[in-house]
Amino acid sequence: MLRTALRNVLAHKARLMMTALAVLLGVAFVAGTLIFSDTVSSAVKKASEKSLDGVAVSVQAEADNNTPDVGKDGKRTTLVDEKLADKVRALPGVQSVRRNANGTATVAGPDNVPLGHDWQNFATNFQPDKDGYDPRYPLLQGRGPAAGNEIALDEATAKASGRKIGDSVRLATDGPVLTKKLVGIVSTDDPQVTAGGSLTLFDTATAQKLFLHPGQFDELVIGAAPGADQQALTAKVREVLPKNRATATSGTELAAEQSEMVAHKNEALTQTLLTFAGIALFVGVFIIANTFTMLISQRSREIALMRAIGASRRQVVRSVLAEAALLGLISSAVGFALGIGLAVGLRAVLDATGAGFPDGPVVISPAAVLSALGVGVVVTVLAAWLPSRKAAKIAPVEALNTVEAPPALRSLVLRNSLGTVITGLGIATMCYVSTLKEADDLPIAMVGGMLTLTGVIILAPMLSRPLVSLAGVVTTRLFGISGKLAKENTLRNPRRTAATASALMIGLTLITGMTVVGNSAGQAMDKMTAQGLTADYKIGASSGLDPKLSQKVADVPGVEAAAPLRNTGFETPNSSMGLMGTDLSTIGKVTQLDFISGSLKGAGGNDIAVSQEMAKMKGWQTGDTLDATFYDKKKAKLKIVGIYADNQLLGDSIGATSLAAPHQLVPMVESLLVKAQDGPAEGLEKQIRHTLGDSPLLKVQDHADLRKENAASIETVLNVSYGLLGMAVIIAVVGVVNTLAMSVFERTREIGMLRAIGLARNGIKQMVRLESVVIALFGAGLGIAVGVFCSWATGNLVSQGLPAYELLLPWGRLALFVLIALVVGMLAALWPARRAARLNMLEAIGAQ
């Protein structure tokens, strides 16, 4: 029986090729994902370990921008200073102490475009030894910075900015724009920098002035003397640290923390890719099961003869499963090789989009090999299990009398009953989901969606009859006898038609669902962007705007009004809410501020206006007085002078700048709304930028820029999803090709008879093409319908994060999906139709 299984694989190479391709693509996706994850994790881990080379203990100052240690100047205050560094240096076992003053600095590139990413633009102090070299940052050109007007850059940043030794470089930290002289170019293996960030080095005094205070540091990096125990040294260091103001971590612990961080960072991407890989394999199951069902139907005589000469049912099952296992193993091996190329390509694509993964060799772990091969073989064997049982049940006499018996009516009745129950349960769950409003209820929506999709897949044979018959009316009228034959061929085996269409349906269900939700969310974000914003520009920066500079924008020629937004907050006995400080005399010119009651006329001092939602929630009315405690612990009595319609820009409440500014932990303007006298103009934008210091961190956005920024993330997710789900659609196309090719083989004699009674070759081609198109459109119709239904049901869950969300169908894209299904059907039929048309008439009639 094993020899028989091997012979069958070799004898039906052309028929099994498409099935092998479905397994191959799915396994390639799984293998590529695992190899990509292992490769990136290994590269980042090695880069992290290299960056920690020689670090025995790290002392970190405990202070950040949310603690009282931050002064009004926005700089941190720490207790890690020269005195503490001297104490640590005097401990036995300490060989060296490196004192770091860290922060962020963004370098302006060509056309003042900021380089790198804000949070990855690392800045620190250059610490030369007696020879003028810093071993942490080896010099490639020039020298290290030694004065306040000098900096050094990493090689990649210097190249991207187009700067050479001696050139002036514009950069921004948390303060005004700085211009420094480039005196050195260094190399670095810091993964934060090599992954798309930048490195700027100052002399120690300048770094402390920019980020801390004179004599203070963020970190002490301690090198151990030869033979010193790292854990014991860490314990000694902890004994001399100020309590609750600094922590000591061993180099081993730091490496473990970084490895865990890397794993967590890649976990979401890996899980996403594996989810799409699972979808691809799930789609492949339909093709594999369909293929083996058709193969067994075609080999029923052969199986009957084997049963007649003594083969048991168990041996027949084993033979089919052995054939499937062999096919899965071969396909998985090829798919794994393709997956290696996929992993390399994926890494290159992500690097091109700014991911900036560290360099490193491709890592192929035994777990990735076993997982990919195991998945391919297991999926193929499971998909062939039901067909193998069907093969074992073939009665020798019955099989010898007929090539293919129609499906038993009872089995279809049972299938339809089961499908109705599951579909009903899924629809009921999704209707319940439509009433839910919490994001935590998303798992319920996922279960409901899976039940609905599974139920429709089970009901697909029953649904195929009315829908295909309806399509047959059109094909018959337009194409005559070819159209009618295509309809009859499609309906001949509804199980096969349903299985083939279901593969395409799954992909289009997911694509449609994501498109509808993405389109609706994008429209909601556009509405929220424009809602209440009558200003021509919204200006902001990652580190906030200097309040003094912001006040000067109103005096720029061409500016009609400018309103700063300064954010803080306060607590009342029963609530916590935000307060937006602004210029109450101009805020009405830059936002649409509609009052339900009261107004801002004459408001000032401790007067505030609250949003309608907040007033309704707390039962407040105009004229009420609130006992407020601001976040800086200062108290005040606030009087409500008005209630305004909810405004996304202004939030819970608004008050005068003079009310909010004193309570900000770090004085800054979060954003500035500017109304131009004659609308947006390029010259005015440049003038505003110049007034605000031409910082590379500055963002001056008009309505179009805001919409583009809001839509960018959604479009990126959709495009990535289209690319990943495209794999499932490709596998579905393979399924259509496979089904048609094997259907043509089954109908060889029938096609010969059609040719004999006068149907031309073009008619045969047209018949097969129309059959393919009808199957593709059937799958597309079901997929789009289920996708739209699931999108509608999950609308409330999305609306909690986007109050303006409402279901809006992207009719253009839905029509494009139908068109794509039509093209898929036509392309999938090219080879089977050509093969059918080239059959020799007499040989076809004589075929058994």
Side-chain angles (χ1 to χ4, degrees):
M1 296 301 293
L2 292 175
R3 285 198 300 269
T4 301
L6 179 61
R7 182 184 62 80
N8 283 327
V9 172
L10 297 175
H12 303 102
K13 293 187 292 289
R15 302 185 208 174
L16 291 174
M17 182 177 62
M18 293 298 177
T19 303
L21 185 58
V23 179
L24 182 152
L25 291 174
V27 170
F29 215 152
V30 173
T33 299
L34 295 174
I35 294 171
F36 168 80
S37 178
D38 290 341
T39 298
V40 171
S41 296
S42 175
V44 175
K45 184 177 179 180
K46 287 181 179 179
S48 299
E49 290 174 349
K50 189 175 181 182
S51 69
L52 292 173
D53 188 27
V55 178
V57 186
S58 171
V59 174
Q60 300 279 346
E62 291 188 351
D64 57 44
N65 288 336
N66 295 317
T67 71
D69 294 321
V70 180
K72 289 294 185 180
D73 57 2
K75 298 177 183 177
R76 301 182 303 279
T77 299
T78 77
L79 295 184
V80 177
D81 52 17
E82 291 285 3
K83 185 177 180 181
L84 179 61
D86 290 339
K87 284 184 180 181
V88 171
R89 191 178 289 110
L91 292 174
V94 173
Q95 184 177 52
S96 63
V97 177
R98 181 183 181 87
R99 305 151 302 154
N100 294 336
N102 303 327
T104 60
T106 300
V107 175
D111 300 324
N112 208 40
V113 175
L115 299 177
H117 308 288
D118 293 341
W119 59 274
Q120 286 183 285
N121 292 336
F122 184 58
T124 190
N125 53 318
F126 185 83
Q127 301 176 55
D129 55 21
K130 60 182 180 179
D131 296 323
Y133 295 97
D134 186 338
R136 181 68 183 82
Y137 301 110
L139 282 164
L140 300 176
Q141 298 179 40
R143 60 177 175 81
N149 66 333
E150 298 176 344
I151 62 167
L153 297 174
D154 67 283
E155 185 178 21
T157 302
K159 183 178 180 181
S161 65
R163 301 293 192 270
K164 298 179 180 178
I165 299 295
D167 289 348
S168 294
V169 178
R170 296 182 71 253
L171 67 150
T173 57
D174 290 339
V177 177
L178 306 172
T179 301
K180 305 286 186 181
K181 182 180 179 181
L182 181 63
V183 298
I185 297 176
V186 303
S187 65
T188 178
D189 50 23
D190 188 331
Q192 178 175 318
V193 178
T194 58
S198 65
L199 171 67
T200 305
L201 297 175
F202 303 92
D203 67 286
T204 298
T206 302
Q208 289 174 327
K209 180 180 177 181
L210 288 172
F211 309 124
L212 298 162
H213 291 92
Q216 297 176 356
F217 303 98
D218 290 286
E219 180 184 22
L220 300 179
V221 178
I222 301 162
D229 181 81
Q230 192 177 99
Q231 297 302 322
L233 182 59
T234 303
K236 292 178 183 178
V237 171
R238 286 173 179 161
E239 292 176 359
V240 301
L241 297 182
K243 292 184 178 180
N244 301 322
R245 305 304 294 272
T247 58
T249 309
S250 69
T252 303
E253 291 171 333
L254 280 177
E257 288 176 4
Q258 288 199 6
S259 296
E260 185 178 351
M261 182 180 67
V262 169
H264 180 71
K265 184 178 178 180
N266 291 331
E267 184 179 3
L269 177 60
T270 301
Q271 288 180 348
T272 299
L273 293 174
L274 285 175
T275 297
F276 285 106
I279 293 169
L281 286 169
F282 185 57
V283 170
V285 166
F286 289 91
I287 299 171
I288 299 165
N290 215 17
T291 301
F292 274 94
T293 299
M294 297 170 73
L295 282 173
I296 287 166
S297 177
Q298 294 169 16
R299 286 160 41 198
S300 57
R301 287 178 177 269
E302 174 189 323
I303 294 171
L305 286 172
M306 291 171 61
R307 295 277 285 113
I309 61 175
S312 66
R313 290 187 176 185
R314 183 172 297 179
Q315 287 178 311
V316 172
V317 171
R318 287 177 179 173
S319 175
V320 175
L321 293 182
E323 185 178 341
L326 185 59
L327 175 68
L329 184 60
I330 296 172
S331 304
S332 298
V334 179
F336 186 82
L338 182 63
I340 298 174
L342 187 64
V344 174
L346 180 60
R347 181 175 174 180
V349 169
L350 291 176
D351 278 339
T353 58
F357 296 116
D359 293 332
V362 175
V363 176
I364 303 176
S365 66
V369 177
L370 295 176
S371 297
L373 295 181
V375 164
V377 174
V378 169
V379 166
T380 309
V381 171
L382 287 178
W385 183 69
L386 285 177
S388 71
R389 289 180 60 83
K390 180 181 177 182
K393 293 179 181 179
I394 294 177
V397 175
E398 179 183 357
L400 291 171
N401 288 334
T402 179
V403 174
E404 183 180 1
L409 182 61
R410 182 182 177 188
S411 62
L412 286 176
V413 170
L414 289 173
R415 175 172 178 155
N416 293 340
S417 300
L418 179 62
T420 301
V421 171
I422 295 177
T423 304
L425 185 60
I427 292 175
T429 303
M430 294 307 289
C431 288
Y432 169 68
V433 167
S434 68
T435 66
L436 302 177
K437 297 182 179 181
E438 298 295 332
D440 294 339
D441 295 321
L442 183 60
I444 301 176
M446 295 177 65
V447 171
M450 290 179 63
L451 286 173
T452 305
L453 181 59
T454 303
V456 173
I457 290 172
I458 296 173
L459 285 178
M462 182 183 74
L463 296 174
S464 67
R465 292 188 178 277
L467 295 178
V468 171
S469 296
L470 182 63
V473 174
V474 177
T475 58
T476 301
R477 287 197 174 188
L478 294 178
F479 302 101
I481 188 64
S482 295
K484 184 176 182 180
L485 287 171
K487 181 198 75 172
E488 296 298 331
N489 290 333
T490 306
L491 291 174
R492 179 180 299 183
N493 192 328
R495 290 170 177 269
R496 182 184 303 172
T497 298
T500 306
S502 293
L504 184 62
M505 180 188 75
I506 295 168
L508 280 176
T509 294
L510 297 170
I511 289 175
T512 300
M514 298 190 73
T515 299
V516 172
V517 172
N519 176 73
S520 301
Q523 295 289 338
M525 293 182 74
D526 280 351
K527 187 183 297 183
M528 290 169 63
T529 299
Q531 186 181 30
L533 181 64
T534 56
D536 295 303
Y537 295 106
K538 182 179 180 183
I539 305 169
S542 59
S543 58
L545 301 172
D546 185 342
K548 295 179 181 179
L549 293 177
S550 300
Q551 293 170 5
K552 297 181 180 180
V553 173
D555 298 328
V556 173
V559 172
E560 179 181 338
L565 299 181
R566 302 184 68 166
N567 194 20
T568 184
F570 61 87
E571 295 179 351
T572 64
N574 60 350
S575 66
S576 178
M577 58 191 292
L579 172 66
M580 190 68 73
T582 187
D583 185 343
L584 299 182
S585 64
T586 60
I587 189 64
K589 297 180 181 180
V590 294
T591 63
Q592 184 179 346
L593 198 55
D594 299 323
F595 277 88
I596 309 301
S597 66
S599 71
L600 290 175
K601 187 176 182 180
N606 288 357
D607 296 335
I608 65 169
V610 299
S611 67
Q612 183 180 13
E613 181 183 8
M614 184 60 67
K616 183 179 179 181
M617 185 186 305
K618 302 300 179 183
W620 293 334
Q621 295 180 353
T622 299
D624 288 351
T625 299
L626 308 179
D627 291 322
T629 301
F630 286 91
Y631 293 160
D632 61 357
K633 306 305 180 183
K634 295 180 181 179
K635 298 182 179 181
K637 287 187 178 295
L638 306 179
K639 182 180 179 181
I640 298 177
V641 297
I643 297 173
Y644 57 87
D646 294 340
N647 186 301
Q648 184 73 18
L649 282 170
L650 302 180
D652 296 334
S653 66
I654 57 174
T657 302
S658 59
L659 174 61
H663 303 292
Q664 285 187 299
L665 297 177
V666 179
M668 70 170 66
V669 172
E670 275 77 16
S671 58
L672 183 66
L673 306 181
V674 177
K675 180 73 174 178
Q677 292 175 352
D678 301 315
E682 183 177 351
L684 178 59
E685 180 180 335
K686 288 184 178 180
Q687 186 62 34
I688 292 173
R689 284 183 174 277
H690 180 70
T691 302
L692 291 172
D694 278 329
S695 170
L697 302 178
L698 195 65
K699 295 172 71 174
V700 181
Q701 299 172 295
D702 58 18
H703 285 246
D705 294 329
L706 289 170
R707 287 193 177 95
K708 184 177 180 181
E709 183 180 64
N710 289 334
S713 57
I714 294 177
E715 285 297 322
T716 300
V717 171
L718 284 178
N719 290 335
V720 171
S721 299
Y722 289 159
L724 296 174
L725 289 171
M727 182 73 75
V729 175
I730 291 173
I731 294 175
V733 172
V734 170
V736 177
V737 175
N738 208 18
T739 298
L740 290 175
M742 301 187 76
S743 179
V744 166
F745 176 83
E746 284 182 350
R747 295 175 356 228
T748 298
R749 191 171 187 178
E750 174 187 322
I751 292 171
M753 293 295 295
L754 290 172
R755 293 277 290 113
I757 61 176
L759 189 62
R761 292 184 186 272
N762 285 339
I764 296 293
K765 287 183 179 180
Q766 192 175 72
M767 176 187 72
V768 177
R769 281 198 297 265
L770 289 174
E771 186 178 344
S772 176
V773 167
V774 168
I775 292 174
L777 290 178
F778 171 57
L782 288 181
I784 291 173
V786 175
V788 169
F789 170 72
C790 291
S791 302
W792 164 81
T794 56
N796 267 348
L797 299 180
V798 182
S799 65
Q800 296 310 298
L802 291 172
Y805 181 90
E806 59 178 326
L807 186 70
L808 296 172
L809 296 182
W811 294 107
R813 290 199 181 187
L814 296 182
L816 178 63
F817 295 159
V818 174
L819 180 61
I820 290 174
L822 182 66
V823 173
V824 163
M826 295 179 66
L827 293 177
L830 288 178
W831 177 59
R834 185 168 179 268
R835 181 168 178 248
R838 294 182 64 183
L839 287 174
N840 182 282
M841 188 190 311
L842 295 178
E843 290 180 358
I845 294 174
Q848 296 294 323

